[in-house]
């Protein structure tokens, strides 16, 4: 339990998807113009992460890992399908995003309207595939760990995009040097925020 | 189908138009600093020059060939499922690149870790496939892919150059800052190695680029 809590806090603050690994930067910079839309995207990303990461972990553990197919027959003990993982992961993500979109549309039209165009875009958000690959690389052992890690990463991403959007709304009226306006200053702000987030490093719970 | 067959007269392989495809992404249409594509994987691999160069080459190859393949298939792909077709083509190419890297430059492949796999969701790929390859012939698409890959690589190498030089006093793994300088009190700036400085370095590159080319400025 303590381990899970530690993992959760780590994935939000220390291993933050944006500030430590720069994952999902494209939509991070493109969508963070107003707080409202970025909150919508943040929720959508967290939601999709919570669904896709455990599924991809299951696929990896029971289908792709070296010897994973042993539950099918003893003959597959040294079969290693892990080279297929990129293709399977991205297919799983694209399929689940489509599925989530349909389910949300059916059962919660209000949420569907709020997430709107963001849901289909999420399939190609690097943060989603990134979490799947990190989970594979770091060898998490249980589905609980994976879910907690995915949730934490999603919340970290959400925090980052919401705060950048808030800052960008504020600086609309500041007098920034012309060549730096727009994209340039967003990069520098993100950099400064990342430095601030680094103060969480080394915290152990 | 019709547009590719009716044009019987052949364009020269390197017409002015094609050359422009190669040159524009280096500055005016740079994928990173202007189109804001592919930043996701760009920043994390720029602590040293070597992984940055390997990454740039991999992305160039994958972009060029996926553009080529998608452009050759463009008339047969139903538009409803094009995203998944594109993803499968890209994923297949990335798997090949990943296996090659593992076989020939294992240490770099370890350093790049998940970022090789993340080429799949690199926005440059999807962006160029959607914006260019779906509507153009294979050869210009191929060149467009190479151009954009190089534009991406240029920024990557530039950022890696400054981070490695200021962060550990090396260029491509070789010490360039003389020992005498260290003796007189110079120190490597450890902050340059940490992730935040990649963002700030790119911010500064954008600043310099936009002061030179004023038409890129936003207001």
């Amino acid at each position: 339990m303590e381990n899970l809590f530690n993992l959760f806090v780590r994935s939000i603050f220390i291993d933050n998807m944006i500030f430590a690994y720069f994952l999902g930067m494209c939509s991070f910079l493109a969508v963070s113009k107003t707080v409202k839309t970025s909150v919508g995207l943040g929720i959508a990303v967290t939601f999709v992460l919570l669904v896709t990461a455990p599924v991809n972990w299951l696929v990896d553990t029971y289908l792709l890992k070296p010897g994973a197919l042993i539950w099918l027959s003893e003959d597959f003990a040294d079969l290693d399908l892990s080279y297929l993982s990129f293709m399977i992961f991205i297919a799983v993500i694209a399929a689940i995003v489509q599925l989530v979109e349909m389910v949300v549309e059916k059962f919660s039209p209000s949420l569907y309207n709020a997430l709107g165009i963001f849901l289909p875009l999420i399939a190609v958000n690097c943060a989603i595939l990134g979490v799947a690959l990190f989970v594979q690389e770091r060898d998490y052992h249980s589905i609980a760990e994976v879910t907690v890690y995915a949730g934490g990463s999603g919340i970290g991403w959400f925090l980052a995009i919401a705060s950048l959007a808030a800052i960008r709304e504020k600086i609309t009226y500041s007098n920034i040097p012309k060549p730096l306006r727009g994209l340039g200053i967003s990069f520098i702000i993100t950099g400064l925020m990342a430095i601030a987030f680094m103060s969480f490093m080394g915290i152990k719970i | 189908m019709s547009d590719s067959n009716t044009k019987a007269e052949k364009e020269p392989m390197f017409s002015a138009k094609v050359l422009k495809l190669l040159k524009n992404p280096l500055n005016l249409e740079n994928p990173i600093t202007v189109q804001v594509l592919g930043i996701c994987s760009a920043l994390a691999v720029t602590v040293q020059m070597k992984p940055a160069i390997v990454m740039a080459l991999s992305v160039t190859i994958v972009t060029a060939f996926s553009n080529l393949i998608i452009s050759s298939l463009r008339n047969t792909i139903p538009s409803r499922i094009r995203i998944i077709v594109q993803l499968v083509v890209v994923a297949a190419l990335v798997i090949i690149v990943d296996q090659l890297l593992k076989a020939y430059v294992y240490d770099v492949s370890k350093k790049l870790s998940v970022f090789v796999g993340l080429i799949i969701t690199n926005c440059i790929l999807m962006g160029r496939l959607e914006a260019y390859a779906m509507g153009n012939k294979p050869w210009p698409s191929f060149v467009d892919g190479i151009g954009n890959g190089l534009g991406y690589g240029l920024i990557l190498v530039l950022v890696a150059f400054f981070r490695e030089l200021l962060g550990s006093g090396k260029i491509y793994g070789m010490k360039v800052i003389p020992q005498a300088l260290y003796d007189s009190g110079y120190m490597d700036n450890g902050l340059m190695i940490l992730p935040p400085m990649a963002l700030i370095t790119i911010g500064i590159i954008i600043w310099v680029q936009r002061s030179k080319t004023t038409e890129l400025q936003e207001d």
Side-chain angles (χ1 to χ4, degrees):
Chain A
M1 201 57 212
E2 240 167 69
N3 175 28
L4 287 184
F5 186 67
N6 190 11
L7 190 66
F8 186 63
V9 175
R10 267 195 78 86
S11 56
I12 295 180
F13 293 109
I14 302 164
D15 290 341
N16 187 290
M17 275 292 136
I18 298 254
F19 297 132
Y21 298 108
F22 315 108
L23 295 178
M25 283 297 277
C26 307
S27 36
F28 178 73
L29 289 169
V31 182
S32 62
K33 288 201 173 97
T34 58
V35 173
K36 206 170 161 237
T37 44
S38 47
V39 167
L41 184 66
I43 293 173
V45 165
T46 313
F47 187 60
V48 171
L49 266 178
L50 272 175
V51 184
T52 54
V55 173
N56 271 330
W57 181 81
L58 286 176
V59 169
D60 188 42
T61 319
Y62 292 107
L63 290 176
L64 299 174
K65 263 190 190 163
L69 280 171
I70 206 157
W71 56 272
L72 211 59
S73 143
E74 288 294 323
D75 307 338
F76 295 137
D78 35 63
L79 192 65
D80 180 3
L81 291 178
S82 53
Y83 65 92
L84 279 177
S85 52
F86 294 159
M87 201 182 262
I88 305 274
F89 283 174
I90 197 72
V92 167
I93 290 170
I96 288 185
V97 167
Q98 197 87 64
L99 205 69
V100 165
E101 198 185 345
M102 290 192 301
V103 171
V104 171
E105 190 181 9
K106 181 97 174 59
F107 291 105
S108 168
S110 60
L111 182 64
Y112 181 75
N113 287 332
L115 299 182
I117 48 159
F118 300 127
L119 265 179
L121 279 180
I122 288 173
V124 287
N125 188 320
C126 337
I128 313 285
L129 185 62
V131 166
L133 293 175
F134 274 130
V135 165
Q136 186 192 31
E137 196 184 77
R138 291 181 191 161
D139 256 338
Y140 286 127
H141 291 299
S142 69
I143 198 156
E145 271 183 347
V146 174
T147 318
V148 164
Y149 175 67
S153 304
I155 293 171
W157 202 89
F158 172 79
L159 273 181
I161 193 170
S163 41
L164 180 69
I167 296 178
R168 280 181 83 169
E169 274 189 2
K170 284 275 175 216
I171 61 163
T172 341
Y173 305 108
S174 353
N175 188 14
I176 302 162
K178 249 203 157 152
L180 207 52
R181 278 187 200 165
L183 188 59
I185 197 70
S186 312
F187 267 109
I188 292 183
I189 292 172
T190 315
L192 295 177
M193 283 162 72
I195 292 181
F197 261 68
M198 271 170 51
S199 55
F200 291 114
M201 247 195 237
I203 292 179
K204 269 238 174 332
I205 295 164
Chain B
M1 224 33 194
S2 55
D3 62 320
S4 53
N5 287 342
T6 46
K7 254 195 180 170
E9 77 274 2
K10 256 190 156 171
E11 264 182 36
M13 280 286 258
F14 285 101
S15 60
K17 207 181 103 210
V18 173
L19 276 182
K20 219 170 130 198
L21 285 177
L22 206 55
K23 217 170 61 192
N24 264 358
L26 292 184
N27 184 18
L28 282 182
E29 286 170 19
N30 190 287
I32 295 187
T33 60
V34 181
Q35 303 179 55
V36 208
L37 296 174
I39 303 155
C40 327
S41 55
L43 300 166
V45 298
T46 52
V47 179
Q48 291 165 336
M49 298 271 283
K50 202 173 171 196
I53 290 173
V54 171
M55 184 72 182
L57 280 179
S58 321
V59 170
T60 310
I61 291 168
V62 174
T63 322
F65 282 98
S66 60
N67 261 3
L68 179 71
I69 294 171
I70 291 293
S71 167
S72 332
L73 295 173
R74 72 184 186 282
N75 295 318
T76 50
I77 301 175
S79 71
R80 288 186 66 107
I81 57 158
R82 64 179 194 283
I83 302 268
I84 204 117
V85 174
Q86 290 165 358
L87 281 177
V88 169
V89 168
V90 171
L93 285 167
V94 171
I95 290 176
I96 296 172
V97 167
D98 181 49
Q99 298 290 326
L100 283 177
L101 288 183
K102 272 191 189 137
Y104 292 105
V105 278
Y106 188 71
D107 53 324
V108 179
S109 151
K110 263 267 143 334
K111 242 180 224 153
L112 291 174
S113 75
V114 301
F115 290 97
V116 179
L118 287 174
I119 296 177
I120 299 172
T121 49
N122 194 318
C123 332
I124 293 181
L125 283 160
M126 298 304 284
R128 291 328 290 172
L129 289 177
E130 279 288 299
Y132 201 89
M134 286 302 283
N136 285 284
K137 279 190 265 175
W139 170 246
S141 305
F142 184 69
V143 176
D144 180 79
I146 292 187
N148 277 286
L150 290 179
Y152 167 88
L154 179 74
I155 300 292
L156 225 63
V157 170
L158 213 58
V159 175
F161 174 78
F162 285 115
R163 285 182 78 189
E164 196 179 359
L165 180 66
L166 300 176
S168 46
K170 293 175 187 167
I171 292 178
Y172 205 77
M174 280 173 295
K175 268 267 179 261
V176 286
I177 294 188
Q179 190 58 40
L181 208 58
Y182 285 106
D183 293 339
S184 59
Y186 174 83
M187 272 203 283
D188 288 328
N189 183 353
L191 194 60
M192 288 304 282
I193 300 180
L194 296 169
M197 286 314 284
L199 290 162
I200 294 180
T201 315
I202 292 209
I204 293 169
I205 290 175
I206 292 175
W207 191 358
V208 172
Q209 189 198 15
R210 292 194 180 179
S211 338
K212 295 253 181 258
T213 35
T214 39
E215 66 262 38
L216 291 177
Q217 290 176 5
E218 298 168 43
D219 39 35

